[in-house]
């Protein structure tokens, strides 16, 4: 029956539907994506009036809220859980950044799109994401019920509703893995890949039964309260955009299918949430409030149903499920679906589980760590009875990723600055670069990687590198690089010229990877350089051949990108150019660049930046001097405004992650403040050590948005001398 008009329970409602002498209450929760948060508001009101709940059935997001309520989460617990979840991360298919190889981390900095392909063509998933992170989250939230279980044994008996993709049949899930059942019910077609359970390929229950009133009645409910998130009661007046029209069409279709289910309910609660998108996860507070508001509007009817439900009901609480204890003994591990060359390493990873009591959270961390290797599309695990009364068997089901040896990646960056008040001073302040990468794996044996990069528009660059594993972490890497670039040149702080430089080099490196976090290497490079200023005033031309011995180290432990919260990014380089190596010039060049990120609470991050570069007692050429300036290298100064043979910078960067705002995805907006001290000098290093050098100071205030195409940043910089500068950029950068 529609909201506000409860159907009077028939006289025989208690004894006819249940062997107990009192009426049992069932809750039917519909799907609706983020709109499903309204269920929490309804539950809050039901708790306040003491409404007993004997059965719950849910579809899609209703199955998530319902399943968590069934295992003991109260409304306040659910509200906190929703607030704490990184919803953007849940709907991402990318493994944690720390689990990527060092080469993959480097690629994640430059590219925002990739397409995998093999000899048969592009490799496309049946969904935008496998839903594995959502499944991991559900496992974590229901750890106490990790065993395959009859859902009637939960504190509140529960059903999840899904749809068989092959037959279109409604599938009512009432046993097995609780987390997998909830994940199957929320498998929106096209967004999540279908989940195989019990020989069926399952997708979102909303496809066939979005409001599961009949399911909860079949469980034995005498009184059914339905929460319908698909109401047509508030049709938008203007539907001018295609997405608004499509949303309305889907609403009409679902409403037609739900009408018979609503007629079966004793009371239907219809939150007014049509102005909230199913993807509006950042608007959870308002959506929960709307659910609470809708339930409060029906308080007289709800209280009357609660009185009926309590008639003859004993004061004892709900039945308690036999949940798994905090620690269990894992006797055996069974692995299904592991890659042939990977099962031994998977077993070794899990060897610490066997033969001793271990916490459920530790089991979850170890098992889900298999997914972070990037070799598997989905991972499910279950606990089953072992060979003894106390022990358990851990069953792990893996689905390998499709073999993708080749990747095509795309990225771009746009950088611009304008000095205030001379905002339109020079059109060369705008730099746009399009980036294309082709990566081929296993070309010259297992583990090999051949990567070729092409970038063009505000400068052309081509580079290609082969990384060939030798023994263990050792590798050898031949490469070549060609670039044709332009650099703005300053005299003092006045723009004076444009230096055009063409470089081509070939090199070979021998090194070792330091786990996933870095590499150390040495090698040889032969390079040709031709450089000349556009106007030729105040800057030198150069043409010659350089030969180097090179040594370097890299470290990357950043937790995310482009707005890291923790970790270190660092690199150290030493070049020894000598005529004896086959070049025309002799010099030493050393640089060190480190960024340290430290979280200060939930939303605050502090970055410490250190940079230093020296040519020791030799003079650099104009094309390879140290150039400072720009938002990240020295805020307040134009890029390249400070140049010299020696350089040093100390910087602090504070960033605040703004909570979710209406219309903006949660945690995508950042505000920041930067401060830096340092300079670039032409004096030899020995003289600077004897006489403390003069320092320059700068800083900036800015905002940033984490977008699908990279960071969008806008900053206002100031320095210790007159004038200000505006920086604007799109694309990932530290």
């Amino acid at each position: 029956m529609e909201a506000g008009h409860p159907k009077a329970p028939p006289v025989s409602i208690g004894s006819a539907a249940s062997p107990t002498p009192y009426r049992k209450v069932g809750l039917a929760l519909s799907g609706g994506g983020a709109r499903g948060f309204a269920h929490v508001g309804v539950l809050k009101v039901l708790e306040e009036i003491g409404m007993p709940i004997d059965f719950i059935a849910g579809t899609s997001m209703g199955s998530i809220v319902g399943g968590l309520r069934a295992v003991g989460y109260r409304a306040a617990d659910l509200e906190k859980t929703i607030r704490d979840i990184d919803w953007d991360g849940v709907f991402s298919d990318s493994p944690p950044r720390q689990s990527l190889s060092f080469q993959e981390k480097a690629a994640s900095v430059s590219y925002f799109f990739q397409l995998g392909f093999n000899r048969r063509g592009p490799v496309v998933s049946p969904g935008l994401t496998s839903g594995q992170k959502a499944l991991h989250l559900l496992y974590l939230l229901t750890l106490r019920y990790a065993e395959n279980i009859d859902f009637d044994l939960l504190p509140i008996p529960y059903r999840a509703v899904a749809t068989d993709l092959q037959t279109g049949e409604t599938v009512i899930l009432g046993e097995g893995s609780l987390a997998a059942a909830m994940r199957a019910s929320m498998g929106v077609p096209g967004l999540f890949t279908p989940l195989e359970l019990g020989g069926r390929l399952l997708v979102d229950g909303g496809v066939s039964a979005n409001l599961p009133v009949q399911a909860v009645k079949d469980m034995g409910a005498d009184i059914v309260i339905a929460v319908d998130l698909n109401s047509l009661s508030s049709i938008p007046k203007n539907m001018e955009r295609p997405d608004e029209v499509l949303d309305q069409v889907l609403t009409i279709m679902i409403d037609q299918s739900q009408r018979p289910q609503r007629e079966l309910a004793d009371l239907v609660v219809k939150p007014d949430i049509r102005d909230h998108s199913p993807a509006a996860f950042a608007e959870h507070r308002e959506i929960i409030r709307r659910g609470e508001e809708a339930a409060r509007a029906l308080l007289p009817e709800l209280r009357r149903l609660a009185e009926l439900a309590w008639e003859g009901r004993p004061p004892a609480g709900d039945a308690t499920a036999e949940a798994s204890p905090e620690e269990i003994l894992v006797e055996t591990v069974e692995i299904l679906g592991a890659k042939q060359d990977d099962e031994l390493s998977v077993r070794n990873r899990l060897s610490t589980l066997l033969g001793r009591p271990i916490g459920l959270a530790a089991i979850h961390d170890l098992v889900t760590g298999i997914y972070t290797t990037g070799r598997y599309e989905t991972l499910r695990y279950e606990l089953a009875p072992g060979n003894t009364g106390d022990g358990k068997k851990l069953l792990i089901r893996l689905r390998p990723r499709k073999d993708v040896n080749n990747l095509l990646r795309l990225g771009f960056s746009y950088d611009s600055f304008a000095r205030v008040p001379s905002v339109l001073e020079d059109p060369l302040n705008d730099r746009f670069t399009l980036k294309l990468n082709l990566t081929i794996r296993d070309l010259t044996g297992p583990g090999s990687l051949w990567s070729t990069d092409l970038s063009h528009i505000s400068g052309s660059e081509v580079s290609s590198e082969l990384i060939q594993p030798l023994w263990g972490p050792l590798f050898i890497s031949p490469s070549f690089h060609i670039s044709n670039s332009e650099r703005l040149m300053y005299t003092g702080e006045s723009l004076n010229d444009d230096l055009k430089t063409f470089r081509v080099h070939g090199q070979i490196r021998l090194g070792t990877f330091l786990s996933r976090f870095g590499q150390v290497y040495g090698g040889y490079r032969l390079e040709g350089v031709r450089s000349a200023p556009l106007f030729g005033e105040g800057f030198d031309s150069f043409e010659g051949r350089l030969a180097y011995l090179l040594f370097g180290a890299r470290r990357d432990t950043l937790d995310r990108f482009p707005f890291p919260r923790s970790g270190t990014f660092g690199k150290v380089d030493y070049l020894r150019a000598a005529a004896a190596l086959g070049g025309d010039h002799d010099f030493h060049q050393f640089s060190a660049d480190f960024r340290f990120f430290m979280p200060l609470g939930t939303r605050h991050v502090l970055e410490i930046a250190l940079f230093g570069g020296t040519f020791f007692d030799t003079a650099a050429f104009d094309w390879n001097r140290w150039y400072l300036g720009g938002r990240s290298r020295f805020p307040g100064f134009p890029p390249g405004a400070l140049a010299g043979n020696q350089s040093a910078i100390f910087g602090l960067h504070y960033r605040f992650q703004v909570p979710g705002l209406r219309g903006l995805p949660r945690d995508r907006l950042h505000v920041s403040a930067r401060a830096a001290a340092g300079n670039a000098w032409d004096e030899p290093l020995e003289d600077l050590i004897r006489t403390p050098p003069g320092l320059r100071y700068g800083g900036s205030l800015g905002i940033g948005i984490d977008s699908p195409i990279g960071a969008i940043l806008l900053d206002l910089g100031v320095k210790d001398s007159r004038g200000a500068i505006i920086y604007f950029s799109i694309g990932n950068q530290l």
Side-chain angles (χ1 to χ4, degrees):
M1 182 169 289
E2 299 300 310
H5 303 281
K7 181 174 64 178
V11 174
S12 61
I13 191 169
S15 58
S18 169
T20 57
Y22 58 87
R23 298 173 177 87
K24 292 192 173 184
V25 178
L27 195 59
L29 305 179
S30 75
R35 294 170 175 172
F37 296 151
H39 295 314
V40 178
V42 176
L43 287 172
K44 184 183 296 187
V45 175
L46 296 182
E47 289 177 12
E48 288 179 7
I49 67 174
M51 176 70 75
I53 300 175
D54 301 287
F55 307 104
I56 298 177
T59 296
S60 196
M61 185 59 78
S63 76
I64 307 300
V65 174
L68 295 179
R69 179 64 188 92
V71 300
Y73 285 76
R74 311 292 287 184
D77 303 322
L78 290 168
E79 192 166 6
K80 181 180 184 302
T81 299
I82 290 169
R83 183 178 67 245
D84 292 344
I85 290 172
D86 175 12
W87 291 100
D88 289 335
V90 167
F91 296 111
S92 166
D93 212 13
S94 302
R97 192 174 188 276
Q98 297 96 319
S99 69
L100 299 177
S101 69
F102 184 77
Q103 304 98 297
E104 289 169 329
K105 287 178 181 177
S108 72
V109 172
S110 300
Y111 305 101
F112 66 88
F113 171 81
Q114 69 177 33
L115 174 67
F117 64 96
N118 53 31
R119 293 179 181 177
R120 294 181 296 275
V123 177
V124 181
S125 171
L128 293 179
T129 171
S130 68
Q132 186 62 47
K133 289 188 178 180
L135 182 57
H136 284 177
L137 174 63
L138 295 172
Y139 277 132
L140 195 59
L141 294 174
T142 59
L143 273 181
R144 292 275 290 169
Y145 301 89
E147 290 193 56
N148 280 352
I149 191 172
D150 183 342
F151 296 167
D152 284 338
L153 299 179
L154 296 173
I156 301 176
Y158 165 76
R159 297 291 185 269
V161 181
T163 302
D164 188 316
L165 183 60
Q166 295 171 317
T167 66
E169 295 175 322
T170 299
V171 179
I172 309 298
L173 300 169
E175 62 180 2
S177 166
L178 177 62
M182 290 190 285
R183 159 62 182 88
S185 179
M186 65 172 284
V188 180
L191 175 60
F192 291 119
T193 57
L195 189 70
E196 190 275 324
L197 280 180
R200 291 176 178 263
L201 205 57
L202 301 181
V203 295
D204 197 299
V207 174
S208 60
N210 197 52
L211 186 64
V213 176
Q214 186 62 56
V216 81
K217 289 183 74 71
D218 291 343
M219 295 173 72
D222 305 299
I223 300 172
V224 177
I225 299 171
V227 184
D228 181 7
L229 306 178
N230 197 68
S231 172
L232 285 167
S233 60
S234 54
I235 300 175
K237 294 181 181 179
N238 298 312
M239 291 177 284
E240 300 175 350
R241 301 199 315 263
D243 62 311
E244 293 175 336
V245 175
L246 178 60
D247 182 48
Q248 181 65 8
V249 170
L250 293 175
T251 299
I252 293 171
M253 294 172 62
I254 295 175
D255 182 77
Q256 294 294 327
S257 67
Q258 287 184 180
R259 189 166 296 173
Q261 293 293 308
R262 287 199 299 268
E263 292 297 324
L264 292 174
D266 296 278
L267 184 66
V268 179
V269 183
K270 293 184 176 181
D272 182 7
I273 49 175
R274 285 298 310 280
D275 56 339
H276 294 274
S277 162
F281 294 95
E283 300 167 17
H284 54 85
R285 289 184 177 86
E286 175 62 17
I287 296 173
I288 291 173
R289 189 191 68 79
R290 296 283 184 92
E292 182 179 351
E293 186 179 74
R296 291 196 186 283
L298 299 174
L299 271 176
E301 292 91 338
L302 287 170
R303 286 197 172 104
R304 189 165 73 85
L305 291 177
E307 290 174 2
L308 288 171
W310 278 108
E311 288 180 3
R313 180 183 292 265
D318 295 328
T320 301
E322 296 182 3
S324 300
E326 293 295 336
E327 288 192 342
I328 64 171
L329 177 66
V330 178
E331 291 182 344
T332 59
V333 175
E334 183 178 352
I335 301 171
L336 301 177
K339 290 190 174 185
Q340 188 173 4
D341 60 343
D342 200 35
E343 183 167 352
L344 180 60
S345 65
V346 171
R347 288 193 176 278
N348 289 338
R349 179 186 288 266
L350 301 174
S351 61
T352 56
L353 291 175
L354 299 174
R356 63 184 180 89
I358 188 168
L360 292 168
I363 293 175
H364 174 81
D365 290 343
L366 282 169
V367 173
T368 55
I370 298 170
Y371 175 73
T372 66
T373 63
R375 295 173 63 83
Y376 297 97
E377 181 179 343
T378 60
L379 178 153
R380 302 206 316 267
Y381 68 90
E382 305 160 7
L383 290 172
N387 297 324
T388 65
D390 297 329
K392 302 293 181 183
K393 179 176 78 171
L394 176 63
L395 175 62
I396 300 174
R397 301 178 187 271
L398 301 169
R399 176 186 290 177
R401 289 188 183 276
K402 295 179 181 178
D403 290 330
V404 181
N405 288 336
N406 310 318
L407 289 173
L408 186 65
R409 295 184 172 108
L410 179 68
F412 80 92
S413 64
Y414 172 79
D415 289 280
S416 177
F417 71 89
R419 292 188 288 182
V420 180
S422 303
V423 174
L424 301 177
E425 178 179 323
D426 194 323
L428 289 177
N429 293 350
D430 297 311
R431 300 184 64 84
F432 179 88
T433 303
L434 182 67
K435 305 175 184 179
L436 189 66
N437 169 268
L438 174 63
T439 297
I440 300 177
R441 297 190 177 106
D442 301 334
L443 179 67
T444 56
S448 67
L449 185 145
W450 182 25
S451 179
T452 300
D453 292 272
L454 170 66
S455 64
H456 185 64
I457 294 183
S458 296
S460 301
E461 185 173 345
V462 179
S463 61
S464 188
E465 179 180 38
L466 173 66
I467 297 178
Q468 177 63 52
L470 297 176
W471 305 278
L474 295 177
F475 69 88
I476 189 168
S477 175
S479 66
F480 77 87
H481 177 95
I482 303 173
S483 66
N484 191 12
S485 63
E486 300 178 5
R487 179 185 294 279
L488 300 177
M489 303 296 287
Y490 292 80
T491 299
E493 294 182 27
S494 299
L495 184 62
N496 191 24
D497 211 331
D498 183 17
L499 188 69
K500 298 181 179 294
T501 304
F502 175 80
R503 303 175 64 181
V504 56
H505 76 240
Q507 72 178 27
I508 188 166
R509 297 184 301 144
L510 180 66
T512 180
F513 287 110
L514 306 176
S515 185
R516 298 186 178 100
F517 307 123
Q519 60 177 227
V520 177
Y521 60 83
Y524 173 80
R525 177 190 300 171
L526 185 62
E527 180 174 27
V529 179
R530 184 174 65 249
S531 180
L534 182 62
F535 301 108
E537 297 180 3
F539 301 99
D540 296 327
S541 298
F542 176 91
E543 185 169 0
R545 183 174 61 183
L546 302 170
Y548 310 89
L549 290 179
L550 55 94
F551 302 91
R554 300 286 186 269
R555 180 173 175 80
D556 184 347
T557 62
L558 301 183
D559 63 334
R560 64 182 69 178
F561 205 84
F563 294 96
R565 284 187 48 79
S566 65
T568 301
F569 182 88
K571 54 183 180 180
V572 176
D573 288 292
Y574 172 72
L575 300 178
R576 174 66 172 105
L581 297 172
D584 301 328
H585 301 274
D586 293 86
F587 60 85
H588 300 264
Q589 177 183 342
F590 174 83
S591 66
D593 190 357
F594 286 93
R595 309 285 181 90
F596 305 93
F597 294 85
M598 297 169 287
L600 305 175
T602 305
R603 299 189 173 276
H604 307 270
V605 178
L606 178 66
E607 174 193 354
I608 298 175
L610 302 172
F611 173 79
T614 179
F615 281 85
F616 298 96
D617 296 330
T618 58
F621 306 107
D622 282 332
W623 61 269
N624 71 341
R625 302 171 82 196
W626 304 115
Y627 289 92
L628 308 181
R631 173 196 295 107
S632 59
R633 184 48 62 91
F634 206 142
F637 294 87
L642 302 176
N645 299 326
Q646 328 295 340
S647 64
I649 302 174
F650 171 75
L652 291 176
H653 175 203
Y654 164 78
R655 188 175 72 244
F656 174 68
Q657 208 169 15
V658 179
L661 302 175
R662 187 172 179 83
L664 185 68
R666 181 185 180 191
D667 294 339
R668 291 293 183 91
L669 180 65
H670 303 255
V671 295
S672 64
R674 298 175 186 264
N679 208 344
W681 307 272
D682 284 328
E683 293 85 351
L685 181 62
E686 183 178 342
D687 294 347
L688 293 177
I689 294 174
R690 285 198 303 264
T691 304
L695 298 179
R696 300 295 304 271
Y697 304 92
S700 67
L701 296 174
I703 59 174
I705 298 175
D706 186 2
S707 80
I709 58 174
I712 302 174
L713 304 171
L714 177 66
D715 291 74
L716 175 64
V718 295
K719 59 183 184 298
D720 51 13
S721 58
R722 224 176 131 187
I725 188 168
I726 297 172
Y727 304 103
F728 177 72
S729 67
I730 303 174
N732 292 340
Q733 56 182 289
L734 282 172

